[in-house]
């Protein structure tokens, strides 16, 4: 397996462990690291089959995926087609929610050129920075991630020195690991900070998911890359940045009445100190719509 | 690459600043390579490792801090979660629970905590793990203390 990991991984493992190669044939010498590396190699192999952020595809490609599958799903995709025109897939590497949010948000700013929205989000980002500082995070652990996100934000607004005008450019950046992963990590810091800041609010939801304390949950399920997101993460990110998010659910659930409907849930950020008023507000229509299928998020485009 | 270098440089400055604050950890960067570090950590008190000085080697990957540093004991240590031959450490934050919120300094702190609180259910050193799992605390402690004396303490006279 070692040979299939590409030159970089090999260099690293050689640098770290000075096990003579002759000993590697012996099973007793396969350590945790070797198993971890094999696992991550398999994961990486699977992951590269999809780009971090794919091209926009017509919704019909979604139906094609389930051609011989559940009739309920096909029925639901038909219903989806009444409101939505296209889907953009993201890589299923555990970061798909954050990556979908990143692309969707930057694309929205590029198209709308909504300076007010950018100013508003920047103010919230500053608030998040203060939150992390007050929670005891050292500045140097998160500042690079913050800086990179703000840089992306500036670049999609026209009239800046570093402006980009093409959608292709956001796509390239979203596919460039050194940018994409840093922005994902920025969102993870923001999400973790928000959860810990309002730990009393989030605690019951977290206890419902795992046995962990709020802090353990943030350390093990929010901050590490590749950890999947749940409604707790979505609520926290939406609240922290003040950005509403719509999640459309595509699963095999059906209603008794026989008719098929596709459920969605709007995560609407808290106003002031009120907790997230999820779903209750009809006045806000999120400009970010994600398609959730159990275990994965993609981006949806309205007609 | 550039990002990891910049981050490591910040950590280097932080280490210089914090030297006094954390007398149990002495973290040193290789003179010619910022991706190579070594640390001397004090065995925690009220453990069989008390009085010992243990050396750790850090190999930092280019994708740091998105990926964890690889850390191993250079000093021989008898501990359920440390490989007896290679010094490899079984600790979640060095594997899938890693995040950039950790630093080389806080990794050292986590390793000291692991020395004080072994997790015998995920052993890299089965002999040590089995002693603890079978409840032979005395057996584990005397083995751990013997190796600490042999390997981690300066020879007397």
């Amino acid at each position: 397996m070692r040979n299939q990991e590409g030159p970089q991984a090999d260099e690293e493992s050689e640098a770290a462990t000075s096990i003579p190669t002759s000993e590697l044939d012996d099973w007793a010498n396969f350590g945790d690291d070797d198993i971890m590396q094999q696992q991550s190699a398999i994961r990486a192999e699977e992951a590269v089959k999809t780009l971090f952020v794919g091209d926009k595809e017509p919704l019909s490609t979604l139906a094609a995926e389930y051609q011989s599958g559940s009739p309920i799903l096909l029925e639901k995709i038909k219903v989806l087609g009444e409101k939505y025109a296209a889907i953009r897939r993201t890589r299923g590497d555990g970061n798909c929610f954050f990556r979908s949010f990143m692309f969707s948000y930057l694309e929205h700013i590029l198209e709308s050129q909504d300076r007010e929205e950018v100013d508003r989000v920047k103010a919230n980002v500053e608030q998040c920075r203060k939150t992390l500082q007050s929670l005891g995070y050292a500045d140097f652990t998160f500042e690079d991630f913050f800086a990179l996100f703000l840089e992306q934000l500036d670049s999609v607004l026209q009239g800046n020195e570093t402006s980009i005008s093409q959608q292709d450019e956001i796509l390239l950046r979203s596919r460039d690991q050194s940018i994409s992963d840093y922005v994902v990590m920025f969102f993870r810091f923001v999400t973790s900070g928000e959860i810990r800041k309002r730990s009393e609010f989030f605690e019951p939801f977290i206890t419902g998911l795992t046995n962990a304390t709020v802090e353990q949950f943030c350390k093990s399920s929010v901050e590490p890359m590749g950890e999947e997101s749940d409604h707790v993460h979505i609520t926290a990110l939406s609240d922290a940045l003040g950005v509403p998010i719509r999640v459309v659910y595509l699963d095999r659930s059906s209603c008794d009445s026989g008719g098929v409907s596709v459920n969605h849930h709007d995560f609407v950020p808290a106003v002031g100190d009120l907790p997230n008023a999820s779903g209750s507000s009809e006045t806000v229509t999120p400009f970010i719509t994600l398609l959730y299928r159990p275990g994965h998020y993609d981006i949806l485009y309205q007609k | 690459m550039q990002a990891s270098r910049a981050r490591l440089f910040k950590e280097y400055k932080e280490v210089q600043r914090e030297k006094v604050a954390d007398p149990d950890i002495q973290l040193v960067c290789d003179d010619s390579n910022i991706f190579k570090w070594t640390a001397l950590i004090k065995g925690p008190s009220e453990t069989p490792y008390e009085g010992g000085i243990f050396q750790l080697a850090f190999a930092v990957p280019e994708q740091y801090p998105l990926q964890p540093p690889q850390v191993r004991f250079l000093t021989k240590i008898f501990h359920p979660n440390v490989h007896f031959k290679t010094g490899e450490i079984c600790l979640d934050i060095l594997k899938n629970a890693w995040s950039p919120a950790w630093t080389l300094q806080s990794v050292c702190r986590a390793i000291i905590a692991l020395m004080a609180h072994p997790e015998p259910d995920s052993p890299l050193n089965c002999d040590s793990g089995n002693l603890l799992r079978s409840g032979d605390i005395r057996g584990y402690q005397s083995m751990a203390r013997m190796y600490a004396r042999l390997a981690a303490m300066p020879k007397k006279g």
Side-chain angles (χ1 to χ4, degrees):
Chain A
M1 210 53 218
R2 287 197 153 224
N3 298 331
Q4 292 172 27
E5 287 161 20
Q8 220 154 38
D10 268 346
E11 253 174 47
E12 275 166 41
S13 55
E14 264 172 34
T17 49
S18 54
I19 311 166
T21 38
S22 59
E23 275 185 40
L24 279 175
D25 301 329
D26 189 345
W27 274 106
N29 288 308
F30 279 100
D32 249 21
D33 272 348
D34 302 289
I35 296 162
M36 285 277 305
Q37 277 173 16
Q38 182 180 8
Q39 249 178 4
S40 66
I42 294 169
R43 204 174 300 144
E45 210 174 281
E46 282 303 307
V48 289
K49 290 175 185 166
T50 325
L51 292 161
F52 279 146
V53 178
D55 291 321
K56 207 169 175 174
E57 299 170 53
L59 213 59
S60 55
T61 62
L62 191 61
E65 225 178 286
Y66 294 101
Q67 219 37 265
S68 52
S70 152
I72 297 174
L73 284 178
L74 283 171
E75 198 62 35
K76 283 193 176 183
I77 292 169
K78 215 177 275 173
V79 176
L80 267 185
E82 290 164 15
K83 265 190 99 174
Y84 301 97
I87 181 175
R88 191 187 290 278
R89 291 166 205 272
T90 59
R91 183 183 290 182
D93 61 357
N95 300 312
C96 54
F97 163 68
F98 292 112
R99 198 121 34 207
S100 296
F101 179 85
M102 162 185 74
F103 187 86
S104 239
Y105 189 76
L106 291 176
E107 185 180 47
H108 170 76
I109 300 298
L110 181 75
E111 282 169 2
S112 67
Q113 291 298 309
D114 187 346
R115 271 164 208 278
E116 252 174 65
E117 167 67 18
V118 172
D119 289 342
R120 204 184 53 72
V121 153
K122 278 189 178 172
N124 288 339
V125 169
E126 280 321 299
Q127 206 50 53
C128 297
R129 191 192 299 273
K130 290 198 185 104
T131 300
L132 288 176
Q133 284 166 339
S134 68
L135 288 168
Y137 287 73
D139 277 47
F140 71 88
T141 58
F142 60 80
E143 63 192 6
D144 293 345
F145 303 94
F146 273 60
L148 203 92
F149 174 71
L150 293 171
E151 207 179 285
Q152 301 315 306
L153 214 47
D154 283 332
S155 73
V156 288
L157 274 185
Q158 298 310 300
N160 289 320
E161 255 174 64
T162 52
S163 289
I164 53 170
S165 54
Q166 301 285 320
Q167 207 197 31
D168 289 357
E169 180 63 26
I170 323 182
L171 205 51
L172 285 178
R173 291 185 182 197
S174 304
R175 289 172 182 173
D176 175 348
Q177 189 169 12
S178 64
I179 297 174
S180 203
D181 278 357
Y182 264 64
V183 176
V184 167
M185 196 52 224
F186 161 75
F187 291 138
R188 288 186 178 278
F189 270 118
V190 166
T191 304
S192 182
E194 184 71 16
I195 294 174
R196 293 174 74 172
K197 183 174 84 176
R198 288 164 51 216
S199 58
E200 266 176 47
F201 170 77
F202 283 105
E203 194 177 12
F205 297 98
I206 289 167
T207 332
L209 283 174
T210 62
N211 282 326
T213 65
V214 171
E215 190 170 333
Q216 283 167 343
F217 177 79
C218 288
K219 282 265 166 261
S220 64
S221 306
V222 182
E223 290 175 11
M225 288 293 283
E227 285 295 326
E228 288 177 11
S229 296
D230 234 306
H231 57 275
V232 171
H233 305 70
I234 304 177
T235 304
L237 184 68
S238 165
D239 281 357
L241 296 179
V243 177
I245 302 168
R246 171 168 294 178
V247 178
V248 178
Y249 295 87
L250 181 60
D251 54 25
R252 283 198 286 187
S253 63
S254 58
C255 38
D256 298 334
S257 56
V260 165
S261 64
V262 181
N263 301 322
H264 72 255
H265 184 87
D266 287 349
F267 292 83
V268 180
V271 182
D273 286 334
L274 294 170
N276 192 308
S278 295
S280 62
S281 167
E282 293 299 320
T283 48
V284 186
T285 313
F287 51 80
I288 290 179
T289 307
L290 305 180
L291 175 69
Y292 176 77
R293 286 176 281 168
H296 188 64
Y297 297 87
D298 292 303
I299 304 166
L300 269 185
Y301 291 91
Q302 291 204 15
K303 276 192 169 162
Chain B
M1 179 80 173
Q2 214 47 49
S4 54
R5 210 176 269 282
R7 159 76 180 240
L8 284 168
F9 190 66
K10 286 179 198 166
E11 292 205 29
Y12 177 79
K13 283 202 286 193
E14 187 68 15
V15 164
Q16 305 309 313
R17 233 163 42 87
E18 271 208 3
K19 246 177 194 162
V20 201
D22 221 338
D24 294 344
I25 301 167
Q26 199 185 323
L27 195 56
V28 183
C29 177
D30 188 289
D31 284 340
S32 59
N33 185 354
I34 199 162
F35 293 96
K36 295 257 179 281
W37 294 63
T38 50
L40 294 174
I41 56 174
K42 279 189 192 160
S45 56
E46 285 165 51
T47 72
Y49 312 106
E50 185 172 5
I53 304 282
F54 296 83
Q55 195 177 20
L56 302 171
F58 287 74
V60 183
E62 283 179 14
Q63 290 85 352
Y64 186 80
L66 282 176
Q67 280 180 15
Q70 295 184 311
V71 191
R72 62 191 185 97
F73 273 90
L74 291 179
T75 309
K76 181 141 311 270
I77 178 170
F78 186 80
H79 184 286
N81 310 109
V82 182
H83 195 286
F84 194 63
K85 273 190 191 158
T86 64
E88 186 194 337
I89 302 164
C90 179
L91 183 58
D92 59 350
I93 60 148
L94 293 174
K95 312 267 149 80
N96 46 10
W98 168 260
S99 93
W102 291 94
T103 64
L104 300 184
Q105 183 90 15
S106 64
V107 164
C108 289
R109 259 180 253 134
I111 291 172
I112 293 175
L114 181 71
M115 288 166 82
H117 305 281
E119 307 243 358
D121 288 333
S122 54
L124 265 180
N125 178 340
C126 292
D127 294 334
S128 172
N130 286 340
L131 282 172
L132 274 179
R133 272 195 288 195
S134 62
D136 189 355
I137 309 291
R138 203 171 150 189
Y140 154 73
Q141 286 184 339
S142 57
M143 285 289 279
R145 196 176 300 117
M146 180 188 84
Y147 278 106
R149 279 214 188 133
L150 283 174
M153 293 182 198
K155 306 269 182 296
K156 282 182 194 138

